[in-house]
Amino acid sequence: MATFKPKFIRPETDDVIDEGGGGHQEPQNSAFVFNANHNLGLVEQRERLPIRKYRDQILYCLENHQVVILVGETGSGKSTQVPQYLYEWGWHSKGMIGITEPRRVSAVTLANRVAQERGELVGDTVGYVVRFLERTSNDTHIKYMTEGILLRELLADPLLTQYGVIIVDEAHERNMLTDMVLGLLKKILRKRSNLKLIISSATIDASFFSEFFSWPRSGAEADKPISVKLSIEGRMHAVSHFYLNEPCADYVRETVETVWKLHQKEPPGDILAFLTGQEEVLEAMDLLREYIASQETTNLKVLPMYGSMTSNDQLAVFFTPPKGVRKVVLATNIAETSITIPGIVYVIDCGYVKVKWYNPTTCSDSLVVVPVSKASAIQRAGRAGRVRPGKVYRLYTKEDYDALAPRQPPEMRRSEMSGAVLQLKALGISNVLRFDFPSPPPAKNLLSALETLYALDAIDEQGQLTRPVGFLLAELPFSAMLSKMLYISGQMGCSEEIITIIAMLQVQSVFSRPASAAAQQSGRIAHRHFEVAEGDLITLLNVHSAFVEEGMTKEFCGQYYLIYRNLKRACELREQLLNMARNKYGIAIFSCKGDVEMVCKCITAGFFTQVAYLHHSGVYRQISSGTELAIHPNSTLYTLPQAQYVVYGELLQTTKLFMNHVTVIKKEWLTELAPHYYQQTTVRD
């Protein structure tokens, strides 16, 4: 029975999808294009980009308005060309041209690309700054950076006087840092009329930005709007929309059946299907391969696309399939705006998306599957009309589509806020509640953040940053609790070990978890060489020590199922953090010489608000709220006897509320290290 694989019957040929209202057309304010000129020289490539014919309009709008909202699809050339147009027309003489990106990899690759187009090395005219990495010089006029870097520059220069133009790229993502940057830039623009702002968005729902960047002006410019919206048109063919007559019970199965029907009935053209996460993508892939095997089909190629894939695996979706073969891409919402896949004619939209949601009561993040917004549904449909007239199959009814929310709640409204509050306090915004957020966060989230910061001694009773703790926590590029742990480690004499742990937590998992069951078992056995009863963070410390002792070789990583790239990166970060702690923050660097209890106490000093105790019923409960918790299956402690008290680095809600990065502690440490937070009492029945 172990080798039994279920065979699925081919879907019936009756079509459950009905064309809604004779090919219901969305009003398209903007059209998008895919740039496929990679085989031409760099100059020809630049000339053929869709944005090229809008160069003069962009420059004209920037001359006449303080804020330009630029709407154009991924691949239209916004991120690489606009900074060059500004430089070529002399805008750099008024101050540096700064471009913020939501991801460090984007900042680095875009800077490399622009430098290549200009025939220079990175660090000359074009440079970049990301966390722990900088390539700029005195000649740099175009600077790519992550949003966090711009926030740190605001600490030293609140009016950003060295910049003439700021470009906020990928603003449609509306992540926490984007919203903070936009809120702060609004304040700066009102004080500095000579600063220009370009907001670059890949979605057509840009009216929100125009409303946010509008305020009354006096004098001759009173009637002139602050912001202007410019859409970059491309070749966009008509897209027919189809809906289900009845809601479906299982959208993964429905997606697979729709792919199969399209493949049999529709003319050639690649298919892009949207699902919510990696597990669903892999499940749909297995089902489709079952169909392909049962029908012995050779002209259908199935490819996955999700965020945690390696770069090489992700590249596969961009290649044209062999002649006569149809490509099917099963993707998460990464394919909605972040990338552009050529050849797509048919889109299948499951109607859902997975988002992270913060619960201030339990202080935990949940991954929840929610219906997509109308803006996302339109964006997904827009992927179909590139090559020729396309079709989108929505796996929900027309009534459900009409009832969708206009846009997804931004990250600011569903995230933990302590990092954002620290940053704003450090920038001199004492009353965070009065700050003009683009989308104000819920009061409960703000209250939870203020309580956490007060417990960590980062703010005082008046809500002002404390010295030295509060200002140090605001300046360190980690979460408040990790920063507090680093601060305490200098006093406890275990800063070397704590910096190693922090560096290991900054990279993705160093443990390789193979796909096959046999390899998983071997990996689990290999990882036991490092696992200790004290928990996950001490285990990470052991992995680093062993890696360094064995000469940091790939062979060592292969033998013990570790990921070499991530470990190497953690070692580089550790060196940078040691220098930073010693030279910039004045933290004394000591090693505790193997005193594990000292390291565990230091971890407790940072994470004392996140403690769970073993209830007499045999489950863990959160000490502050009594909420039931479980140890994550990937944790070192999952298979060990249960400890009485543990601290955890994060909570994640999936099937249960799981604790991650768990460390075993002693009860008496809580009253010793955080007497302001815990007190010992005796309860008599």
Side-chain angles (χ1 to χ4, degrees), residues 383-671:
R383 299 274 149 190
R386 295 280 165 65
V387 191
R388 60 168 191 263
K391 294 180 179 180
V392 59
Y393 295 84
R394 289 176 170 153
L395 304 184
Y396 41 95
T397 63
K398 178 72 171 67
E399 293 72 32
D400 287 337
Y401 171 77
D402 292 334
L404 290 175
R407 57 176 84 96
Q408 207 76 47
E411 193 181 17
M412 180 71 79
R413 292 193 58 79
R414 48 187 174 83
S415 295
E416 202 275 324
M417 292 289 297
S418 57
V421 171
L422 267 179
Q423 289 280 345
L424 293 173
K425 293 273 183 197
L427 288 164
I429 294 159
S430 52
N431 190 344
V432 179
L433 297 172
R434 296 281 304 277
F435 180 69
D436 191 3
F437 289 105
S439 297
K444 269 189 177 178
N445 292 18
L446 272 176
L447 183 62
S448 167
L450 289 167
E451 285 174 349
T452 301
L453 293 174
Y454 183 61
L456 291 171
D457 192 30
I459 56 174
D460 59 22
E461 288 179 0
Q462 278 70 47
Q464 303 303 316
L465 283 186
T466 56
R467 286 187 186 277
V469 181
F471 281 91
L472 180 67
L473 265 57
E475 210 170 327
L476 284 167
F478 323 116
S479 71
M481 290 178 190
L482 281 179
S483 301
K484 180 67 185 280
M485 186 170 84
L486 176 57
Y487 171 73
I488 295 287
S489 70
Q491 300 167 6
M492 284 191 166
C494 57
S495 44
E496 268 195 42
E497 287 77 8
I498 292 298
I499 283 173
T500 305
I501 289 169
I502 291 173
M504 293 288 276
L505 290 172
Q506 298 308 301
V507 297
Q508 288 182 321
S509 175
V510 295
F511 296 112
S512 174
R513 304 197 189 278
S516 74
Q520 273 180 11
Q521 184 69 16
S522 305
R524 192 87 196 177
I525 292 165
H527 295 161
R528 283 190 191 138
H529 286 86
F530 314 106
E531 291 177 355
V532 284
E534 285 84 1
D536 300 327
L537 301 189
I538 306 299
T539 298
L540 287 176
L541 192 57
N542 288 345
V543 170
H544 175 270
S545 304
F547 180 60
V548 173
E549 279 171 24
E550 294 294 325
M552 298 167 66
T553 62
K554 286 185 178 177
E555 291 73 26
F556 170 78
C557 292
Q559 184 184 346
Y560 289 103
Y561 289 81
L562 302 171
I563 300 170
Y564 175 76
R565 185 180 70 247
N566 293 353
L567 265 171
K568 190 91 168 51
R569 177 85 187 117
C571 290
E572 291 166 6
L573 285 181
R574 180 180 180 273
E575 291 309 310
Q576 290 172 348
L577 287 174
L578 282 169
N579 287 332
M580 210 165 75
R582 189 186 294 115
N583 303 328
K584 192 173 178 184
Y585 302 119
I587 295 170
I589 303 298
F590 293 111
S591 169
C592 62
K593 304 281 190 273
D595 185 349
V596 177
E597 185 166 300
M598 179 70 77
V599 179
C600 290
K601 281 180 91 166
C602 191
I603 292 166
T604 310
F607 289 93
F608 62 82
T609 59
Q610 300 188 164
V611 180
Y613 70 97
L614 186 61
H615 192 253
H616 57 72
S617 61
V619 297
Y620 280 105
R621 287 188 185 274
Q622 200 174 34
I623 213 164
S624 53
S625 69
T627 308
E628 203 170 292
L629 306 175
I631 287 178
H632 198 281
N634 286 344
S635 170
T636 302
L637 300 176
Y638 185 66
T639 53
L640 296 179
Q642 291 173 303
Q644 197 61 42
Y645 283 83
V646 294
V647 294
Y648 52 86
E650 62 180 4
L651 286 180
L652 202 57
Q653 172 91 49
T654 49
T655 50
K656 290 181 185 173
L657 197 48
F658 285 112
M659 298 183 282
N660 214 355
H661 303 143
V662 188
T663 303
V664 175
I665 64 163
K666 293 179 180 173
K667 181 175 69 172
E668 53 269 24
W669 294 351
L670 297 174
T671 46

Side-chain angles (χ1 to χ4, degrees), residues 141-316:
H141 293 294
I142 298 173
K143 183 160 90 176
Y144 285 86
M145 61 197 136
T146 50
E147 289 145 345
I149 296 295
L150 187 69
L151 284 172
R152 302 211 169 278
E153 290 189 6
L154 275 162
L155 289 171
D157 180 12
L159 289 177
L160 295 175
T161 49
Q162 60 171 321
Y163 291 97
V165 184
I166 300 274
I167 302 172
V168 178
D169 203 8
E170 308 284 4
H172 58 271
E173 292 190 9
R174 297 293 309 281
N175 65 40
M176 175 94 85
L177 290 174
T178 306
D179 274 16
M180 279 179 67
V181 163
L182 291 174
L184 290 161
L185 283 171
K186 182 175 179 178
K187 287 174 79 76
I188 296 167
L189 289 168
R190 296 186 75 158
K191 292 224 169 31
R192 269 192 69 195
S193 56
N194 62 337
L195 178 66
K196 302 283 186 174
L197 172 65
I198 297 176
I199 298 170
S200 168
S201 170
T203 62
I204 55 179
D205 182 29
S207 53
F208 166 82
F209 297 119
S210 349
E211 289 162 19
F212 182 64
F213 285 99
S214 60
W215 52 84
R217 292 205 283 193
S218 55
E221 297 192 329
D223 297 332
K224 196 159 81 172
I226 304 272
S227 63
V228 62
K229 180 177 155 189
L230 182 63
S231 294
I232 297 163
E233 295 275 324
R235 296 183 300 277
M236 183 68 172
H237 300 277
V239 176
S240 305
H241 297 69
F242 299 85
Y243 297 86
L244 290 180
N245 288 328
E246 298 290 332
C248 65
D250 181 350
Y251 58 79
V252 178
R253 176 68 64 87
E254 193 70 46
T255 298
V256 172
E257 295 192 354
T258 307
V259 167
W260 194 251
K261 286 174 194 165
L262 289 182
H263 181 54
Q264 291 178 318
K265 290 185 170 186
E266 294 288 343
D270 295 341
I271 301 170
L272 170 61
F274 284 98
L275 293 163
T276 67
Q278 180 181 337
E279 304 81 17
E280 288 181 4
V281 166
L282 297 176
E283 183 190 341
M285 226 167 102
D286 289 343
L287 286 172
L288 261 176
R289 283 176 177 163
E290 292 277 352
Y291 283 143
I292 290 166
S294 64
Q295 295 298 307
E296 296 181 357
T297 304
T298 55
N299 60 347
L300 191 65
K301 185 178 185 181
V302 187
L303 295 165
M305 185 74 196
Y306 48 86
S308 60
M309 287 170 69
T310 64
S311 307
N312 284 345
D313 290 343
Q314 286 187 1
L315 278 175

